[in-house]
Amino acid sequence: MSHESLRCLVSGIQHFSPCPGHGLRTTIFFAGCPLRCFWCCNPECRLNRPVLVCNTEKCIGQSLCGHCLDSCSSSAIYSSKNAIRVARDRCVNCGECVSRCPSGALFMSSRLMSPEEIMEDVLKDKDYVMNGGGITLSGGEPMMHPQEAAALMRLAHAEGLHTAMETCGFFDLDAPHTIAALRETDLLFFSIQHSDPLAHRRGTGVDNSRILCNFERIVAEFPQLEINSRTLIVPDFNDDDTTMRNIARIVKRTGSFFHILEVFSPICQDKYAQMGLPFSYGQLALPQERLEAIVDIFQEEGLSVEIH
Ligand code: SF4
Ligand code: SF4
C-alpha cells in the first residue's frame, strides 16, 4: 500500500543513533509535542511547524557573505557585533533566507517527508541495522502523528526492521490511528515524569491523569508490546523520595518489574539560543549519592532499574 499522500513533519534523522532500542538504530525525530517540559532537550521538535534556526557558529561572516541580509522581505535579519541575528518578532518562518545561506548557518527546524522518503534514508544503513536493529520514532511526540507513524513502521516491518517509539504518553488511546501505531510498535518507551497531577502540570503544561491512564491501559490491552517505562530525573522537579517511590509504585501496579532512570543533562542550551528561545532551567547536577538513593527506592519497591 502506498502512503504517498502522507507527510511526516521530521526534525531530523539520526543514523547509528545512541537512542535506545535493540541493536543499531536509526532515529526519526518527529516535530510537534503536546507537552512543554521546562527541561526539554529538543526544543526544535516542540512546534508542529518549521521554525527558522540560526547557528551563528556556522556563519562565514557578513563581510564574506551577507546574502541573508537582503533576502528577508520582513526585515527580520540584521547584523549586531558582526554576528547575524534574527528579530523573532518579525520573522514569519518563511524560509527564504535559508535558500540564500551557503554555510548551513540558517536552516528550518523541520520539514515534510513521506514515509517512503524516510525509509529510503533509513535503508542506506540496512546492512548494519538489519542485525536485530531498526528504527526508533522520537521527537517531539510521534503520537501527534499516529497515522504517519503507523505507516512508517509498517514500511520498516516490511523491510524486516524492528520498531521502537519514545512517547510522553499524552495521546488519545481510543483513536483508530493511535491503535494502529501501537500495533506496529515492537518496543515502547513510555515516560512517567511525576506522580502528582499539579506538579506534573507545573513542569510540563499538562496534568498526568491521561498519561497514567494510558500507561495502565496499554500494558493491559497490548500484551504483544514490549514496554519500558522510564523517568528522566530532573533536579528540583521530581528527584525527591516521595515522588520517586510513587512512580515506582505506579509502574509496579501494572505488573511490570523494570524501569529506566535517565539523568537530566543541560546540553541543549545552545539549541534554545539558536531558536531565539529562553532557557530558564538552571544547571543543577544530580549528585551520584542522590542517584544511588533513588535506585535504592526503586529496588525496595521490587523493581530492577537500568540507568541511561
Ligand atoms: S525565515 Fe523568512 S521571515 Fe524569517 S528571517 Fe528568514 S526570510 Fe525573514
Ligand atoms: S547567508 Fe548564512 S553564511 Fe551568509 S551571512 Fe547569512 S547566515 Fe552567514
Side-chain angles (χ1 to χ4, degrees), residues 119-135:
M119 274 314 291
E120 203 178 307
D121 194 303
V122 167
L123 291 175
K124 289 178 192 163
D125 290 342
K126 189 174 180 185
D127 290 346
Y128 302 99
V129 176
M130 268 308 287
N131 210 0
I135 62 168

Side-chain angles (χ1 to χ4, degrees), residues 123-265:
L123 291 175
K124 289 178 192 163
D125 290 342
K126 189 174 180 185
D127 290 346
Y128 302 99
V129 176
M130 268 308 287
N131 210 0
I135 62 168
T136 300
L137 276 53
S138 183
E141 173 51 56
M143 280 301 206
M144 274 193 82
H145 316 277
Q147 187 178 10
E148 291 78 4
L152 179 57
M153 290 191 286
R154 206 170 290 126
L155 290 175
H157 277 150
E159 296 289 344
L161 298 176
H162 178 271
T163 64
M165 184 195 294
E166 302 185 295
T167 183
C168 69
F170 191 85
F171 49 76
D172 177 4
L173 183 52
D174 294 311
H177 290 311
T178 306
I179 294 167
L182 286 171
R183 291 202 173 123
E184 293 292 342
T185 308
D186 299 318
L187 171 60
L188 186 69
F189 293 97
F190 194 106
S191 290
I192 300 174
Q193 286 310 115
H194 212 293
S195 54
D196 178 71
L198 287 177
H200 196 281
R201 181 181 286 281
R202 271 197 302 275
T204 71
V206 303
D207 93 30
N208 60 0
S209 51
R210 178 185 237 187
I211 293 169
L212 298 184
C213 177
N214 280 350
F215 179 58
E216 290 189 15
R217 282 190 55 197
I218 291 171
V219 172
E221 296 172 21
F222 294 82
Q224 88 292 349
L225 182 54
E226 181 182 357
I227 303 169
N228 285 180
S229 57
R230 65 181 182 182
T231 299
L232 177 70
I233 306 170
V234 182
D236 274 3
F237 171 63
N238 62 5
D239 62 333
D240 58 286
D241 285 4
T242 304
T243 302
M244 286 294 147
R245 195 172 294 283
N246 285 342
I247 290 174
R249 289 176 178 171
I250 287 167
V251 174
K252 201 177 163 197
R253 206 164 53 224
T254 63
S256 177
F257 295 97
F258 176 70
H259 192 69
I260 295 170
L261 292 172
E262 298 174 308
V263 180
F264 173 77
S265 163

Side-chain angles (χ1 to χ4, degrees), residues 58-62 65-69 84 100-103 105-106:
K58 282 191 172 176
C59 174
I60 54 179
Q62 184 185 347
C65 174
H67 295 320
C68 55
L69 288 167
I84 295 300
R100 301 283 304 278
C101 178
S103 70
L106 296 170

Side-chain angles (χ1 to χ4, degrees), residues 35-56:
L35 271 55
R36 287 293 176 269
C37 306
F38 65 81
W39 61 84
C40 177
C41 286
N42 294 329
E44 73 280 14
C45 297
R46 290 200 300 197
L47 290 179
N48 202 10
R49 59 181 169 82
V51 177
L52 178 67
V53 184
C54 177
N55 181 352
T56 50

Side-chain angles (χ1 to χ4, degrees), residues 260-280:
I260 295 170
L261 292 172
E262 298 174 308
V263 180
F264 173 77
S265 163
I267 52 172
C268 51
Q269 289 179 82
D270 286 353
K271 293 186 187 175
Y272 281 81
Q274 290 167 12
M275 297 183 70
L277 296 171
F279 183 64
S280 49

